[in-house]
Amino acid sequence: MWDALGVLVLVGHYGLLLLLCLYGGHRLQLTWVAWRSPLAETPPRLKQLPLITVQLPIFNERYVVERLIDAVAALDYPPELLQIQVLDDSTDDTTALAAAGVAKHRARGVNIEHLHRSDRTGFKAGALAAGLKRAQGQFVAIFDADFVPGPQALKSAIHSFADPGVGMVQMRWLHLNRDYSVLTRVQAVMLDAHFAVDQVARCAGGLFFNFNGTAGLWRRQAIEDAGGWQWDTITEDLDLSYRAQRKGWRFVYLHQAGCPSELPVEMTSFKSQQHRWAQGAIQVMKKTLPNLWRSALPLRIKWEATMHLSSNLAYLLMLLHSAILLLPSVYIRQTWGQALPWWWLDAPLLLLATGSHLVYFLAGQRLSKAPWGPALRLLPALLGTAIGLSWNNGRAVCKGLRGLDSPFERTPKLGRHALQNLGLRARPRAYAQHGGGHAHAELALAALYGSYIILALSMGWWLLVPLLSVFMAGFLYSGSQSLLEGRLQWAAA
């Protein structure tokens, strides 16, 4: 009986490890393609500039709404070819601030309107769909509340639509508050890798990739041809991206066209954002992949779409492997003796499963022309933060797989408060999110890995101690930071 149980544990151990290696190998493949395939940044030019509708979806954004409206009103684009829609679903004083900002710019001749909905049906997707009905432009640009597009944002992207087959153009995200804290620096490196590796490789390779929800332009015909904005998932941007590309529309990623944005400065806000992205990706996976695999699309596109949409499963796999199977598998192999060279098998698999992500992040910095030094110093924090997300994102994956609905939770933006490190007590109270029981769960996991470290030391399993220490540190940081943010009394703005 114990031999059979041991076999099951080892099958689970190596099965999960091989799946993690699959995702790690996929990241290395994307990194290689991005490294070897720089994007052409000289699209043909349109003979005439078209009318563009700029949509600004906002919900309770008192700290950034004026900054956003001012930036978009200053876009360097012919006024007669520009329509601006402030799509306001707010329930607080954001509505008054937005109305005042719109009135200010209308008085000086800007074609801008304030559209307020009291019924938030469909959340952001519903607001975009409602605005599209009143849109005058054949092209639609979208900027979320935490973005500050530069004057040349539209002109730098619109000419890619000279190709009539292009349905969407995505710009790169830049980061206004990159150096606010270790957390924002870690987020910046993660996002740099997504844009410099994932988006570059998929675009250059003719594969499906996604509109990132903001800092991009759509051909209106592509939106309508794909069935319009839908809200049966909480990542409406990813859903529409796949539906449009399945209809034959091609996407363009412009790495040199950057749009500044604000990163979440609180751990709870960061985790809320990650939770939404992870759950939404699984929802889109369930909605999209069955029909995609039945289509006549090339196998390489089907495979890449599968890896892309299912990539958040790696968080759940990592948690299950490290928390449940890792130590029992070591114990079983020890009791069976050293007849088989177990560590010669484990070492390369663990290296591929974990080291591939570090290569991916460093490549993202290199391809973004960022200095190596800061990224190298951030590697422990990067690894710990990614591991600390496994409980948060693992729960999101489970909810997505089970078909559970979640409310659309916006990521709080703090505007000027996010540009200066004022400390937790000096941050605005409005829009604060709390860690709650999930922070306690992360601290419990940190304690669990701490007990594993003690066990590993007592058993002489020295090689496991560094790995288990990273897991303990990741959960300890995520849980304690969330709990601290939830319990401190924040000062009013």
Side-chain angles (χ1 to χ4, degrees):
M1 175 179 135
W2 289 110
D3 284 349
L5 181 61
V7 170
L8 286 175
V9 168
L10 290 182
V11 168
H13 165 74
Y14 283 110
L16 292 180
L17 201 51
L18 287 171
L19 286 173
L20 289 170
C21 287
L22 181 66
Y23 286 107
H26 173 249
R27 282 205 156 173
L28 288 179
Q29 180 191 18
L30 289 178
T31 302
W32 176 253
V33 173
W35 198 277
R36 297 295 298 271
S37 306
L39 291 176
E41 299 284 359
T42 54
R45 298 186 67 82
L46 291 163
K47 294 180 180 178
Q48 282 188 314
L49 291 176
L51 175 61
I52 298 177
T53 296
V54 179
Q55 295 186 320
L56 311 177
I58 61 173
F59 172 66
N60 293 355
E61 302 289 3
R62 67 171 60 147
Y63 301 118
V64 295
V65 63
E66 294 170 299
R67 180 182 71 182
L68 172 68
I69 292 173
D70 289 345
V72 173
L75 287 169
D76 181 15
Y77 203 77
E80 69 277 9
L81 298 177
L82 186 64
Q83 177 197 20
I84 303 171
Q85 295 179 331
V86 180
L87 306 176
D88 181 14
D89 284 2
S90 300
T91 58
D92 66 359
D93 59 349
T94 300
T95 297
L97 294 170
V102 167
K104 177 181 71 173
H105 291 291
R106 282 184 69 87
R108 62 183 189 85
V110 177
N111 181 9
I112 182 171
E113 59 182 334
H114 179 219
L115 305 175
H116 182 259
R117 293 196 312 163
S118 56
D119 177 9
R120 293 191 67 213
T121 301
F123 302 105
K124 179 182 174 181
L128 294 171
L132 194 62
K133 294 177 181 177
R134 299 171 57 111
Q136 302 166 0
Q138 62 189 105
F139 297 93
V140 179
I142 300 170
F143 297 101
D144 280 352
D146 49 336
F147 280 70
V148 188
Q152 297 299 314
L154 297 185
K155 284 185 176 179
S156 66
I158 191 62
H159 290 286
S160 295
F161 290 104
D163 182 340
V166 171
M168 190 279 298
V169 176
Q170 174 68 54
M171 291 178 271
R172 179 165 61 115
W173 294 5
L174 304 177
H175 316 294
L176 291 166
N177 58 335
R178 182 188 193 103
D179 293 323
Y180 179 92
S181 66
V182 171
L183 178 61
T184 56
R185 286 193 288 271
V186 165
Q187 291 177 71
V189 171
M190 289 178 168
L191 287 169
D192 286 347
H194 168 69
F195 284 99
V197 176
D198 296 349
Q199 300 293 66
V200 167
R202 289 173 180 137
C203 183
L207 302 167
F208 282 9
F209 70 96
N210 61 296
F211 169 55
N212 291 104
T214 178
L217 282 78
W218 279 88
R219 190 186 297 270
R220 180 173 182 165
Q221 182 185 351
I223 297 175
E224 294 171 342
D225 189 34
W229 293 104
Q230 298 175 9
W231 43 89
D232 53 346
T233 74
I234 55 175
T235 46
E236 70 290 325
D237 45 4
L238 181 61
D239 175 36
L240 179 60
S241 297
Y242 270 82
R243 286 188 280 115
Q245 288 170 107
R246 281 207 57 205
K247 286 287 186 177
W249 292 100
R250 291 186 293 102
F251 287 6
V252 171
Y253 170 62
L254 296 178
H255 189 68
Q256 300 306 320
C259 187
S261 65
E262 177 185 315
L263 294 162
V265 299
E266 278 96 25
M267 176 62 74
T268 45
S269 300
F270 170 57
K271 290 195 296 186
S272 174
Q273 181 188 69
Q274 292 290 317
H275 190 279
R276 184 176 73 250
W277 290 352
Q279 183 179 353
I282 297 299
Q283 290 174 331
V284 175
M285 179 192 77
K286 291 175 62 179
K287 177 180 178 178
T288 299
L289 286 187
N291 290 331
L292 188 142
W293 275 96
R294 287 192 290 266
S295 72
L297 287 166
L299 179 61
R300 66 187 187 90
I301 290 181
K302 296 177 181 179
W303 173 250
E304 172 57 34
T306 302
M307 296 302 294
H308 179 196
L309 295 177
S310 69
S311 60
N312 284 286
L313 290 172
Y315 287 106
L316 186 60
L317 298 175
M318 178 172 60
L319 186 60
L320 292 173
H321 176 261
S322 62
I324 298 175
L325 292 175
L326 180 59
L327 260 65
S329 71
V330 174
Y331 177 77
I332 287 168
R333 284 175 289 176
Q334 188 177 60
T335 59
W336 286 0
Q338 300 298 323
L340 294 175
W342 299 108
W343 289 109
W344 288 101
L345 182 59
D346 279 32
L349 293 178
L350 285 170
L351 183 62
L352 177 57
T354 57
S356 56
H357 301 289
L358 299 180
V359 171
Y360 164 80
F361 291 133
L362 288 174
Q365 293 302 283
R366 178 66 174 175
L367 293 170
S368 297
K369 296 181 171 51
W372 281 91
L376 285 171
R377 290 191 293 271
L378 269 180
L379 283 182
L382 266 169
L383 192 56
T385 302
I387 287 171
L389 283 173
S390 58
W391 170 257
N392 178 74
N393 289 14
R395 288 190 306 107
V397 167
C398 291
K399 289 166 72 174
L401 290 173
R402 294 170 60 194
L404 299 179
D405 292 328
S406 292
F408 184 94
E409 294 186 7
R410 56 179 284 288
T411 304
K413 296 94 180 177
L414 300 181
R416 61 185 175 84
H417 302 285
L419 302 181
Q420 45 190 323
N421 197 331
L422 303 174
L424 283 175
R425 292 187 182 275
R427 293 177 197 164
R429 180 180 301 166
Y431 312 144
Q433 295 178 322
H434 305 295
H438 302 310
H440 291 97
E442 289 167 342
L443 292 175
L445 283 168
L448 177 67
Y449 285 103
S451 67
Y452 286 173
I453 292 172
I454 295 172
L455 177 61
L457 289 171
S458 67
M459 299 293 290
W461 300 337
W462 311 111
L463 294 178
L464 285 179
V465 173
L467 179 63
L468 294 171
S469 297
V470 173
F471 274 87
M472 183 185 72
F475 285 115
L476 183 61
Y477 171 56
S478 180
S480 60
Q481 188 72 8
S482 300
L483 205 59
L484 180 63
E485 291 168 2
R487 291 190 172 181
L488 277 177
Q489 290 293 321
W490 290 4

